[in-house]
Amino acid sequence: MKEKLQSIKTALEKELSEISTSEKLEELRVKYLGKKGELTGVLRSMGSLSAEERPVIGQLANVVRADIEAALAEKKQAFDAKAQEMKLEREKLDVTVPSNAQLRGGRHPISLVRRELEEIFIGMGFDVVDGPEIETDYYNFEALNTPENHPARDVQDTFYITKNILLRTQTSPVQARVMESRKPPIRIISPGRVYRSDAVDATHSPMFHQFEGLYVDKGVTMGDLKGTLDMFAKKMFGENTRTRFRPHHFPFTEPSAEVDVSCFACGGKGCRLCKGEGWIEILGCGMVHPNVLTNCNIDPDVYTGYAFGFGIERIVMCRYGIDDMRYLYENDLRFLSQFN
Ligand code: DAH
């Protein structure tokens, strides 16, 4: 029986050295230690032993059992360690691998310029105000001293929703809305979309953007207007930029002027951008007409104000040397991605 026990142990050790999976290991455990296992078989037959032999064999059986358990446990540990190692290997993560490039959006050139304009005027104490794009005839024309049949309406034909509701042709109606709802001093700018029933070409679009400015207080003069616009031109187009005011007419300002800036491409010598003029026309402005102040319940004998307005697209096109306005609306990434 001693030999039998020894041979069981030797057999197990041999088998153990030949297996390579934990399933096989479990099979071996059952085969050697299970209820119907080899060792159990030996222990069962111990009844046939003499009283002297029994404790000796019993003790040996226990030692063999302990040895087998230890050998199985050792193997199990080795398998577990191996499995863990393989898992780590499989799940290896290289944090230095470059990621898939993300396509990033960017701002539209009109938005870029609009923000730049806002920054300049915010820096001079102006508030940014929004106004509705669907406007009434009253705010778009009437309040701005442009009654029905006024010739100035001819160049600002637009899209009518009803006889009295239309898509605004200019950002100027925001002037009237603000003057109605605030008390002077009023110092606002208002960028936004405007609409005119113009056919699309290189310099026209039925929808475009304007930028309005308004300052109303006691004692505001044309000198304030000139100083502000001169500062604006220098910040926008460069320190050496000069401005030139030419008399003009707008129904809602008196006197009115158009403002040119010295060409920032040639410095005023004359080039392709300024068409040899040396000057580029950028905006309309003037002193707010007394009728407009009165329409908005501001006493023109106490307060004066200046206003100005210009197209943002024009500035974008000059700034970036774009010769066709349609590029700005076609959403062609080959064009737009140049501004990122
Ligand atoms: N609203 C005018 C236009 O669309 C531009 C303009 C001219 C605005 C003079 C003003 C201004 O505020 O004072 O042609």
Side-chain angles (χ1 to χ4, degrees), residues 318-334:
C318 286
R319 159 67 69 89
Y320 295 113
I322 301 165
D323 56 10
D324 194 320
M325 198 172 181
R326 285 167 286 199
Y327 286 122
L328 295 171
Y329 308 120
E330 284 170 349
N331 290 336
D332 187 334
L333 283 178
R334 290 170 302 178

Side-chain angles (χ1 to χ4, degrees), residues 156 170 172 175 196 210 212-213 250 252-253 284-286 307-309:
Q156 300 207 1
Q170 46 188 354
S172 306
Q175 288 186 30
R196 293 187 191 180
Q210 280 192 344
E212 196 79 14
F250 297 104
F252 36 87
T253 44
C285 64
F308 58 87

Side-chain angles (χ1 to χ4, degrees), residues 47-92:
S48 62
L49 295 174
S50 68
E52 298 84 60
E53 270 182 319
R54 213 174 291 149
V56 179
I57 295 301
Q59 203 189 359
L60 182 64
N62 280 338
V63 171
V64 167
R65 176 179 197 86
D67 286 352
I68 289 176
E69 276 172 354
L72 287 170
E74 193 187 324
K75 195 74 178 175
K76 179 167 183 332
Q77 213 172 27
F79 279 169
D80 286 353
K82 180 91 186 156
Q84 176 72 3
E85 198 180 302
M86 279 165 67
K87 188 163 176 241
L88 286 175
E89 185 62 31
R90 231 183 307 122
E91 292 175 0
K92 195 150 102 183

Side-chain angles (χ1 to χ4, degrees), residues 296-311:
C296 302
N297 301 317
I298 292 177
D299 185 348
D301 291 330
V302 179
Y303 294 102
T304 51
Y306 66 65
F308 58 87
F310 54 85

Side-chain angles (χ1 to χ4, degrees), residues 63 82 88 103 122 162 204 208 222 232-233 302 325 336:
V63 171
K82 180 91 186 156
L88 286 175
L103 225 68
I122 287 170
T162 67
H204 291 87
F208 60 104
M222 193 100 186
F232 153 66
V302 179
M325 198 172 181
L336 293 175

Side-chain angles (χ1 to χ4, degrees), residues 1-47:
M1 208 156 248
K2 252 188 196 164
E3 291 77 53
K4 177 77 183 158
L5 283 169
Q6 280 304 340
S7 75
I8 289 175
K9 191 180 155 192
T10 319
L12 169 85
E13 278 163 357
K14 181 165 183 299
E15 282 200 84
L16 263 185
S17 71
E18 288 163 358
I19 64 165
S20 58
T21 68
S22 43
E23 288 78 40
K24 282 270 184 285
L25 181 65
E26 177 60 13
E27 279 172 27
L28 287 187
R29 192 188 65 78
V30 172
K31 177 173 175 189
Y32 285 90
L33 299 179
K35 275 194 193 121
K36 293 176 187 156
E38 309 242 347
L39 194 63
T40 320
V42 174
L43 294 177
R44 277 224 186 87
S45 59
M46 269 180 41

